[in-house]
Amino acid sequence: MALLLPPPSKPKPILKLNSHKIAQKHKNPIHFFASNIYFTNKKLKNDINIKRVLPIVKATSNPLSEDEKDSSFGRILLSDVVVKRRKNVFLGRKWNPLDVATIGVMGFMHLLCLFAPLTFNWSAFWVAVGLYVITGLFGITLSFHRNLSHRSFKLPKWLEYFFAYCGVQALQGSPIDWVSTHRYHHQFCDSEKDPHSPLEGFWFSHMTWLFDTYALVQRCGKPNNVGDLEKQQFYKFLQRTYIVHPIALGALLYALGGFPYIVWAMGVRIVWVYHITWLVNSACHVWGKQAWNTGDLSRNNWWVAVLAFGEGWHNNHHAFEYSARHGLQWWQIDTTWYVISLLKAIGLATDVKLPSAAHKQKLAIMG
């Protein structure tokens, strides 16, 4: 008796990226590191009223319902966030030089950290701490995020450019690339087009999304959401020459302190800033509390706020994207806001935006 089997299904074609064309267009492949490549689709929408309405969820250990089991890949630990679309960026795809360069640089920085116990000295440690503040606070949170991505305040051009240059030394991409990806995160937050949602897995939202530039192109389409930066030659210059600047800093550090400075002030410091930045994308969409009805999974997470200079008050931020202040309560530590307040007090920061009482009342979660 013959064994009846269903006809073999056709394998799904693997979408391929013409890496040769991309390499020609972008001569420096590591431009795309961290924010990788800037993608756009349509004009960025900031009106809170257009956001999707998602259920407000709280951390729980309740078991999944039968419907959830059938339509999901499980719940993220200690959270009610259910993974809906497990994304595997390593298998069943065509790797291109951009992604290989990204994972290579990232892997090298993590490898340097293995030498930290063998090369420790207080001088190297404090240089690393200083650069953590300069590149993490002034560069990423103040410049790339609140100033350039959301235009929460204005600075004199010389100071805006200086802080943006500090951000380049965090090795998370050029200002144009970083800002574009972040604007898409807000435009498509926790939807299928979000560049890094935990609905596709915790580690995808934390870091592995960085390794698949073609998927981001598919999601968000043609670039047109960073025209304000592309009009400025300084930011175009940083995009073209992006990787040169961290290399130059590394050479200077080696001249000043040898291999221990490379390990601590480049390797340890860069990896530390990587992960506290990435925790905002992952942990702050998984663990914490929601004070505002934002229509997404953003949470306020106090320990990420401490590590990331106030960025952990992420539900506050998604409710009031334009706000220069993320820690809206007096007890919500927001180091970046303290710096902005100081700059405002001495006349360097102007047009500092804050949420109105009416806007807060509109989005507040009752009870």
Side-chain angles (χ1 to χ4, degrees):
M1 181 176 178
L3 180 63
L4 298 179
L5 296 174
S9 59
K10 294 182 179 180
K12 294 182 179 180
I14 298 174
L15 296 174
K16 296 184 178 181
L17 178 64
N18 192 329
S19 58
H20 176 69
K21 290 184 178 180
I22 289 186
Q24 286 183 327
K25 184 177 180 181
H26 303 282
K27 296 180 181 179
N28 186 353
I30 311 182
H31 282 167
F32 300 91
F33 186 69
S35 58
N36 282 342
I37 189 171
Y38 59 97
F39 318 99
T40 60
N41 182 293
K42 52 187 176 181
K43 187 177 180 181
L44 183 64
K45 298 178 181 178
N46 289 321
D47 188 350
I48 193 69
N49 294 321
I50 69 170
K51 290 194 172 185
R52 301 160 309 287
V53 177
L54 296 179
I56 304 302
V57 293
K58 299 178 181 179
T60 180
S61 58
N62 293 336
L64 291 175
S65 67
E66 291 302 319
D67 289 341
E68 287 177 322
K69 289 179 181 178
D70 292 340
S71 63
S72 73
F73 292 89
R75 180 181 292 146
I76 296 175
L77 183 66
L78 300 178
S79 171
D80 260 5
V81 176
V82 177
V83 178
K84 296 293 186 182
R85 306 177 299 275
R86 178 73 68 184
K87 177 71 174 178
N88 190 326
V89 300
F90 296 103
L91 302 176
R93 53 161 293 197
K94 177 73 174 181
W95 284 83
N96 63 71
L98 305 178
D99 299 333
V100 173
T102 297
I103 200 170
V105 171
M106 188 184 300
F108 178 71
M109 289 300 155
H110 283 77
L111 182 63
L112 277 178
C113 295
L114 298 178
F115 294 92
L118 305 176
T119 58
F120 176 83
N121 64 62
W122 285 109
S123 175
F125 173 80
W126 287 115
V127 170
V129 171
L131 286 174
Y132 158 50
V133 174
I134 291 171
T135 62
L137 193 163
F138 295 113
I140 297 299
T141 69
L142 188 148
S143 175
F144 279 22
H145 190 203
R146 303 194 197 188
N147 182 227
L148 299 183
S149 295
H150 296 288
R151 296 300 182 185
S152 299
F153 57 95
K154 294 179 180 178
L155 294 170
K157 276 300 175 184
W158 66 268
L159 189 57
E160 175 188 316
Y161 290 166
F162 171 74
F163 286 151
Y165 190 79
C166 293
V168 168
Q169 297 295 353
L171 202 60
Q172 293 188 22
S174 73
I176 287 177
D177 300 334
W178 199 103
V179 168
S180 179
T181 301
H182 186 72
R183 287 177 177 176
Y184 278 127
H185 167 61
H186 279 270
Q187 184 177 356
F188 302 120
C189 188
D190 293 319
S191 74
E192 292 184 356
K193 289 190 174 184
D194 189 339
H196 43 70
S197 172
L199 293 176
E200 297 185 69
F202 176 85
W203 287 108
F204 177 81
S205 65
H206 188 72
M207 62 186 292
T208 62
W209 67 274
L210 295 164
F211 307 150
D212 194 353
T213 55
Y214 187 46
L216 293 179
V217 174
Q218 284 184 302
R219 292 173 190 224
C220 301
K222 298 179 181 180
N224 66 5
N225 73 342
V226 281
D228 54 327
L229 300 184
E230 290 181 310
K231 292 176 182 177
Q232 302 180 58
Q233 289 303 312
F234 178 73
Y235 293 119
K236 295 291 288 183
F237 167 75
L238 288 182
Q239 188 183 39
R240 291 192 304 269
T241 63
Y242 160 64
I243 197 59
V244 173
H245 306 285
I247 291 175
L249 176 61
L252 176 62
L253 289 169
Y254 184 78
L256 293 174
F259 190 57
Y261 272 35
I262 293 294
V263 171
W264 281 88
M266 292 297 288
V268 174
R269 182 265 306 179
I270 285 174
V271 168
W272 177 255
V273 177
Y274 279 166
H275 285 284
I276 63 172
T277 302
W278 299 341
L279 281 169
V280 178
N281 297 334
S282 56
C284 288
H285 281 256
V286 174
W287 301 302
K289 297 182 179 180
Q290 291 189 316
W292 314 98
N293 189 9
T294 56
D296 55 39
L297 298 175
S298 60
R299 317 294 178 89
N300 286 335
N301 185 304
W302 70 267
W303 56 270
V304 176
V306 172
L307 296 174
F309 306 109
E311 298 292 281
W313 308 116
H314 204 52
N315 184 237
N316 293 352
H317 171 54
H318 273 253
F320 314 106
E321 299 170 8
Y322 57 85
S323 177
R325 181 178 183 177
H326 291 187
L328 299 179
Q329 302 294 333
W330 67 267
W331 50 268
Q332 293 179 332
I333 297 172
D334 186 354
T335 313
T336 306
W337 166 244
Y338 306 151
V339 174
I340 295 171
S341 298
L342 176 61
L343 293 172
K344 180 182 179 182
I346 61 178
L348 290 175
T350 58
D351 194 21
V352 178
K353 298 180 177 66
L354 295 171
S356 66
H359 198 179
K360 288 181 180 179
Q361 185 177 10
K362 181 179 180 181
L363 295 181
I365 296 175
M366 301 302 177

